[in-house]
Amino acid sequence: MSVSHLATHLDLHMVGPENVAPCNTPTWELRVRKGVAVSEELGGRMLLHFLTLQNLGAFREGTQREIFTTPTPYPEEEVIRSLELPGVAYARKHVLVLDPLMLDDIAGPRHVAWGNGFEYILPGGFTAAAIASKWEVELW
């Protein structure tokens, strides 16, 4: 078992597998909750949004576009496979750490189709105040 698979399994156990929607659930059918509820569900853990080098700096002021996050940290060599991210040619060497307490609407969680992780979706994006790390964190 890979470390990433174990981390995902432990996170699913914490959230409760029965609370994670199937991968084929459309975003608009996921339950939407306030960040306080998700923070409690995650035991105070943060949400992570993995970035390509091309996206560095793009979200420092927040964004209003839909953003996909996960509570599970993955190493660079496993993040694309675990979360089935688009643009497989672009490594994810950085992550934004987002504080659920500073987020309004969070949809999910939902299993990732074709991956082994699970995700929370921020339908309206996030504000700069939600960035707990203040800027991107390099993974190594």
Side-chain angles (χ1 to χ4, degrees):
M1 175 181 290
S2 74
V3 172
S4 293
H5 190 76
L6 176 60
T8 300
H9 180 78
L10 292 171
D11 284 349
L12 281 170
H13 180 73
M14 176 179 57
V15 169
E18 69 281 358
N19 294 321
V20 182
C23 63
N24 60 350
T25 306
T27 301
W28 63 85
E29 289 184 13
L30 294 172
R31 63 185 172 144
V32 177
R33 295 167 294 146
K34 297 298 178 193
V36 173
V38 173
S39 180
E40 288 176 12
E41 178 174 272
L42 295 173
R45 301 237 337 254
M46 302 291 165
L47 290 171
L48 307 173
H49 177 67
F50 291 89
L51 299 164
T52 64
L53 288 174
Q54 292 78 2
N55 285 333
L56 289 181
F59 300 110
R60 288 186 185 163
E61 298 301 317
T63 182
Q64 293 180 351
R65 71 172 242 213
E66 180 180 65
I67 294 293
F68 294 80
T69 67
T70 184
T72 311
Y74 294 104
E76 175 192 343
E77 62 274 7
E78 293 186 38
V79 67
I80 293 173
R81 176 179 42 243
S82 296
L83 298 176
E84 194 52 38
L85 298 174
V88 297
Y90 301 106
R92 283 9 184 238
K93 296 183 179 205
H94 296 82
V95 65
L96 276 178
V97 181
L98 302 172
D99 184 350
L101 291 173
M102 300 300 292
L103 298 168
D104 290 326
D105 295 333
I106 304 173
R110 168 178 67 191
H111 286 283
V112 173
W114 308 108
N116 68 355
F118 66 99
E119 61 193 0
Y120 289 87
I121 297 93
L122 312 179
F126 59 90
T127 65
I131 304 173
S133 56
K134 301 303 177 207
W135 46 77
E136 304 87 353
V137 174
E138 182 178 9
L139 302 173
W140 49 275

